[in-house]
Amino acid sequence: MFRYTIRRLNLFVITLIILTMVGFSILRLDPSSPFASISFFNGWTQYVEQIVQLNFGMTKHGTPIIEELVAVFPATLELCFFAFTFALLIGIPLGTLAGMRQGKMVDNIISFVSMSGYSAPIFWVALLMIMFFSLNLEILPVSGRYNLLYEIDHVTGFAIIDAMLSNKPHKALALESVLEHLILPCLVLALGPTTQVIRLMRASVTEVMAANYIRVARIKGLSKYEIIMEHVLRNALPPIVPKFGVQLSSMFTFAIITESIFNWPGIGRWLIDALANQDYASIQAGVIVVASVVLTANILSDLVGTMANPLVRKEWYANR
């Protein structure tokens, strides 16, 4: 496991180095940048030194980029966290049910809904949900992170935590407003990953259900609940854990569209504003931060999946 971890960490470091070269190349597109007039290697080394110190430079408006990142990035993390949690809570049970009922009516319905959700454009789904829940039923807000009538101090950057820590009047109403504003963008952002988790879980459970130890468990007279908890989930989940990191990576891509539609003050909308203003310093900072988080999520999910599924390590050692 130690050698496998070192191998993954080496890949992580190499990818980060390539990523800094991409970010530096973006920064050199700005003629006013001090890095545009020096050689690539010397400028890149200076750039890496600044990145290590979390110095991403200044925006076109003269604001330190790190201050804006601290303000907008927690909003994206909060949205992605709840969306990904929702995807797992819905996708794993439905995928397990579809895999255990393969070929039955329940499996066909779940597979059809999953494929339909995967094929639907995310912006189209978002607009439909806004029209139905916000404009027609008027039960959920259209956009924003919380009602501007409530004052929530920026402490951690996570609106739910900041609302809980707030000493302002109407604290409970402010927290309720935060949760209401979170529902629609969370559901829209979770749509794609949920369908993928269902498909992955269904395929893994179908493979496990064909194993001999499941037949033995049935012969022993174990109940369906015991078979699911002690045999099916225990063997079906570990192989697909590394793929959860891929779904989390795609979620950051979908977050850019979601934040734009719901006016969510996250890094996705911030990057779109930077692109519109041709703020190359902000663009490279956003690319570096988002890509670093995505790489970290992939590496961690890979290591967790390897710890849960030792067969991955055995296959790697066998193929060395």
Side-chain angles (χ1 to χ4, degrees):
M1 182 64 190
F2 176 76
R3 297 177 65 179
Y4 183 85
T5 304
I6 294 298
R7 179 173 176 265
R8 291 301 180 187
L9 291 178
N10 289 336
L11 180 62
F12 176 73
V13 172
I14 294 173
T15 309
L16 276 183
I17 292 175
I18 297 175
L19 180 62
T20 57
M21 292 182 178
V22 173
F24 178 68
S25 299
I26 294 174
L27 199 58
R28 284 170 63 90
L29 296 175
D30 186 3
S32 62
S33 174
F35 296 110
S37 58
I38 58 179
S39 63
F40 186 89
F41 181 75
N42 291 333
W44 176 71
T45 54
Q46 296 177 21
Y47 172 77
V48 172
E49 291 177 358
Q50 293 183 6
I51 293 298
V52 171
Q53 299 172 4
L54 297 180
N55 180 13
F56 294 100
M58 309 287 286
T59 66
K60 275 192 172 183
H61 305 292
T63 307
I65 294 178
I66 186 63
E67 293 183 3
E68 295 196 355
L69 287 174
V70 170
V72 299
F73 196 59
T76 301
L77 286 180
E78 184 177 45
L79 179 61
C80 290
F81 171 77
F82 284 102
F84 191 67
T85 302
F86 179 83
L88 294 181
L89 292 178
I90 300 299
I92 291 177
L94 289 181
T96 303
L97 180 60
M100 296 190 67
R101 299 288 185 179
Q102 186 181 15
K104 303 293 181 61
M105 181 63 71
V106 175
D107 179 29
N108 294 332
I109 293 175
I110 294 176
S111 298
F112 174 77
V113 173
S114 175
M115 183 59 66
S116 301
Y118 179 75
S119 304
I122 187 173
F123 66 89
W124 179 73
V125 175
L127 294 176
L128 284 181
M129 295 186 72
I130 290 176
M131 291 177 59
F132 182 73
F133 291 103
S134 301
L135 302 182
N136 292 342
L137 299 182
E138 297 182 356
I139 58 175
L140 293 174
V142 176
S143 62
R145 205 173 177 193
Y146 52 84
N147 196 318
L148 298 180
L149 294 175
Y150 305 111
E151 295 183 5
I152 300 179
D153 297 329
H154 183 92
V155 180
T156 64
F158 300 95
I160 293 180
I161 298 177
D162 291 345
M164 292 179 178
L165 297 177
S166 177
N167 294 323
K168 305 288 184 180
H170 310 294
K171 174 181 176 180
L173 294 176
L175 179 59
E176 181 182 352
S177 177
V178 171
L179 294 176
E180 288 178 351
H181 282 77
L182 186 63
I183 292 175
L184 281 186
C186 178
L187 291 177
V188 171
L189 187 57
L191 178 62
T194 301
T195 58
Q196 287 294 324
V197 171
I198 291 175
R199 295 170 62 188
L200 292 172
M201 196 65 192
R202 178 187 179 277
S204 184
V205 169
T206 300
E207 183 178 352
V208 169
M209 291 299 294
N212 292 328
Y213 54 83
I214 298 296
R215 298 189 184 96
V216 174
R218 288 172 175 170
I219 294 173
K220 288 182 177 179
L222 297 181
S223 63
K224 288 186 178 180
Y225 178 80
E226 292 175 331
I227 293 176
I228 293 174
M229 300 304 296
E230 297 180 9
H231 297 282
V232 176
L233 291 180
R234 182 177 296 179
N235 293 280
L237 273 175
I240 66 174
V241 168
K243 300 178 182 179
F244 289 161
V246 179
Q247 304 308 316
L248 187 59
S249 304
S250 63
M251 185 172 286
F252 276 94
T253 305
F254 294 141
I256 297 177
I257 304 174
T258 306
E259 291 177 359
S260 300
I261 295 175
F262 290 97
N263 197 27
W264 189 266
I267 195 170
R269 199 190 69 177
W270 181 77
L271 270 175
I272 290 179
D273 293 339
L275 286 169
N277 297 325
Q278 294 184 353
D279 190 346
Y280 295 103
S282 298
I283 294 172
Q284 61 84 25
V287 170
I288 291 292
V289 171
V290 172
S292 299
V293 173
V294 169
L295 286 174
T296 304
N298 284 328
I299 292 296
L300 290 178
S301 63
D302 195 6
L303 293 178
V304 171
T306 304
M307 293 174 61
N309 187 18
L311 290 176
V312 176
R313 301 196 305 272
K314 293 180 180 179
E315 290 177 1
W316 179 74
Y317 285 119
N319 296 327
R320 277 194 309 160

